[in-house]
């Protein structure tokens, strides 16, 4: 299961059933959970003087695709799944089933909840705080410096169920609240209220998310997206979501 | 011609004169045409359960630069040329002389014509349909989900001779018609008429492409660009373009 | 110090104390200064017919992180520092202590001064001219073709101490003057005056940089940033900056 060309540090602790691809390097200070697969050409657990000496922890049943790079000192729950050539720096903590698309760049010192999904090529600045069930789409940047360059770091906060569409940025210190949608190609310079849509540069309130209909001919509401979009979420979570809407439809 | 460190699957069919660089992996379900060169550190023909079992087909006389990744189940005509670290997922079909710049990310299920050129770092969403002689510039994203996340997929259509300038996005279901130009840093949310320029966010009509003059002191028209820009196109195609404008100038 | 899997061209000239990581390729026409470290999976000194036959020169005490790609024919002063998977094409000349973030793409034929810092994922078009102490933030693109595609190349000029914030583009031929700040998500289509802030698409004058206060509770001016931001600059340079402001505060 370990390709003969893989270079595995003596201190690395690999669970049972772990697969490591060709030409991949696993450094010493790494713990990889059972049944996790790491593709070719990766570099996993790079030591960093910016970290705190803690290991890189990758949960069970994860998949890290080829050409990816992880630093020591971050930890990921079970079922991490990445695209190719992602980069994750030190001291990030993520929950279960975190998904990072190809080319994603997580700068470190971030806190990320469960079932968060990043599409390709996002840039997550240091000190970002991201809740659960968040979606971030391609070329989105979460920033942190209000007057670059400076020593002031104001990470952004993204609450549960938020979706941030393609090529948008969130400016330092901003909070995007529960269930909000940031339209594509937007620049968000102040807090976004829960369950609202903002768009533009600077982003302005467009409507409540409840006003958007699915373009599938059903006439149903597109948001909260957990009403209709369930791919990749566990059955018990989906059952809870469905119960929520079943109950609310009575009212 | 095959570097001794390259790992070649037993089922891979390599044409004559094929070169494979160091530390590159060629999986089994791959057909590579004669005289094609693949650089170092690539992973070519990754199997995918999202594909249909068909092989990855790379045409003759192609050049895939280092650190690139192609999945099984896509096909490319002759003279494919890529920059470094491109990623191409499954079930994309491209014509001849397709050019993909460094960091390009083609999500799969796309249809791409002949002589299409992508500059660096474009993101082409699933179900995009792209004609012939199209140019797409850096950090352009072609999207497909009208209310993310959802199961609805509305790919964009880009017709022949269109140019989409840097850091623009095309929203789901939009068609950009023959010869149009999308200005830089634009967000295109509705169809663009042939031979017009749109720009802004949301993009608005600026002028006809015929109104733009070349900034080379000649005073000539900059569009259709095939009047003056011929680098990399075959002689017979260029001759046809020149004949077109020679004829029209009589009128 | 040279990993046994590294492939070193016979013509490559490596200084004393040079380290080369696993699976890295060093081509022939390369000169690497003393005590420089190159990470794993790199390809350094790729020959190019677009170059002039000159070697790739990397100064002393540099650090090139893993998966990076440099072409022959560019030169870098001492203490070059890169993130992962950067790409630098031919005929670029950079001064001392140049820093390129992860995923940076320098297209070649650029002139870059001393102590220039690129954050992650910037795209620097051919013929860009960049002064000293410049900052360029993620997803910024410097362009060069005023009517793409064409043979006309109008590189941009970025003067000393300029900062260009995230996801902005600078259009062909534009000059951004000494100490100016380009706000995030902007499109700069004409020259920017020294020590001013521009933002928007197209970018417009917002204020003088002197009007922006530090958000650290001090009430001090945020610009010129060299008043307060000194991390990574040598002591003698910082002393000169401090003397400048000490003198001016007397007046």
């Amino acid at each position: 299961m370990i390709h003969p060309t893989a270079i595995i540090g003596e201190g690395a602790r690999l669970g049972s059933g772990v697969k490591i691809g060709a030409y991949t390097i696993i450094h010493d200070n790494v713990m990889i959970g059972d049944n996790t697969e790491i593709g070719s050409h990766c570099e996993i657990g790079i030591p960093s003087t910016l970290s705190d000496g803690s290991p890189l922890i990758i949960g069970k049943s994860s998949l890290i695709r080829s050409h990816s790079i992880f630093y020591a000192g971050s930890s990921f729950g079970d079922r991490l799944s990445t695209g190719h050539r992602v980069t994750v720096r030190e001291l990030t903590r993520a929950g279960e089933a975190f998904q990072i698309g190809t080319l994603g760049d997580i700068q470190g010192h971030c806190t990320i909840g469960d079932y968060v999904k990043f599409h390709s090529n996002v840039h997550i600045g240091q000190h970002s705080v991201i809740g659960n069930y968040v979606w971030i789409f391609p070329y989105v940047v979460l920033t942190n410096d209000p007057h670059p360059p400076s020593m002031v770091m104001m990470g952004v906060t993204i609450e549960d169920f938020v979706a941030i569409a393609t090529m948008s940025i969130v400016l330092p210190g901003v909070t995007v609240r529960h269930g909000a949608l940031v339209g594509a190609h937007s620049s968000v310079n102040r807090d976004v209220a829960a369950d609202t849509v903002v768009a533009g540069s600077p982003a302005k309130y467009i409507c409540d998310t409840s006003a958007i209909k699915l373009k599938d001919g059903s006439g149903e509401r597109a948001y909260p997206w957990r009403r209709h979009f369930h791919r990749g979420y566990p059955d018990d979570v989906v059952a809870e979501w469905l119960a929520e809407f079943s109950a609310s439809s009575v009212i």
Side-chain angles (χ1 to χ4, degrees), chain A:
Chain A
M1 312 287 254
I2 312 291
H3 195 276
T5 60
I7 300 173
I8 314 291
E10 290 190 6
R13 285 161 285 176
L14 310 189
S16 69
V18 166
K19 297 184 190 181
I20 309 287
Y23 305 125
T24 279
I25 300 169
I26 312 286
H27 290 273
D28 283 326
N29 198 12
V30 172
M31 298 175 60
I32 298 177
D34 297 347
N35 301 312
T36 281
E37 179 174 352
I38 297 179
S40 65
H41 304 93
C42 293
E43 189 177 11
I44 304 295
I46 303 178
S48 168
T49 57
L50 301 176
S51 190
D52 61 0
S54 60
L56 171 68
I57 301 175
I58 307 285
K60 296 178 198 170
S61 301
S62 296
L63 173 61
I64 295 177
R65 287 189 173 84
S66 73
H67 298 79
S68 291
I69 296 169
F70 282 73
Y71 275 66
S74 288
S75 71
F76 300 86
D78 295 344
R79 285 166 292 137
L80 169 69
S81 170
T82 85
H84 301 277
R85 39 180 147 265
V86 308
T87 311
V88 184
R89 298 288 311 224
E90 54 278 302
L91 297 175
T92 280
R93 306 267 175 259
E96 291 190 17
F98 181 28
Q99 188 174 308
I100 312 173
T102 290
L103 289 167
D105 182 358
I106 302 177
Q107 293 274 301
H109 299 263
C110 296
T111 303
I112 296 165
D114 293 328
Y115 292 94
V116 169
K117 295 180 192 247
F118 294 168
H119 207 294
S120 295
N121 209 336
V122 303
H123 179 95
I124 308 299
Q126 286 185 14
H127 303 290
S128 298
V129 176
I130 296 174
N132 304 304
Y133 309 106
V134 166
W135 276 89
I136 298 187
F137 289 92
Y139 294 66
V140 164
V141 177
L142 304 186
T143 68
N144 55 28
D145 185 343
H147 30 43
S150 80
M151 299 299 283
V152 180
M153 285 281 212
M154 301 167 62
V156 306
T157 301
I158 310 295
E159 294 187 356
D160 296 357
F161 295 106
V162 163
I164 304 181
T166 296
M167 210 170 282
S168 291
I169 68 172
V170 183
L171 291 170
V174 166
T175 295
V176 183
R177 298 202 186 282
H178 185 285
L181 170 66
V182 174
H185 218 274
S186 298
S187 175
V188 183
N189 66 354
R190 50 183 176 176
D191 292 356
V192 177
D195 299 314
T196 64
V197 182
V198 301
S201 180
K204 293 181 180 157
Y205 170 82
I206 302 294
C207 61
D208 288 359
T209 57
S210 57
I212 300 177
K213 302 300 180 195
L214 275 178
K215 296 190 174 178
D216 63 356
S218 70
E220 295 291 321
R221 286 166 53 177
Y223 298 91
W225 56 260
R226 63 189 180 277
R227 294 171 71 98
H228 60 85
F229 187 81
H230 304 144
R231 191 179 59 204
Y233 300 99
D235 290 347
D236 60 330
V237 165
V238 171
E240 194 178 309
W241 292 348
L242 292 176
E244 175 188 355
F245 295 111
S246 172
S248 66
S249 68
V250 175
I251 303 166

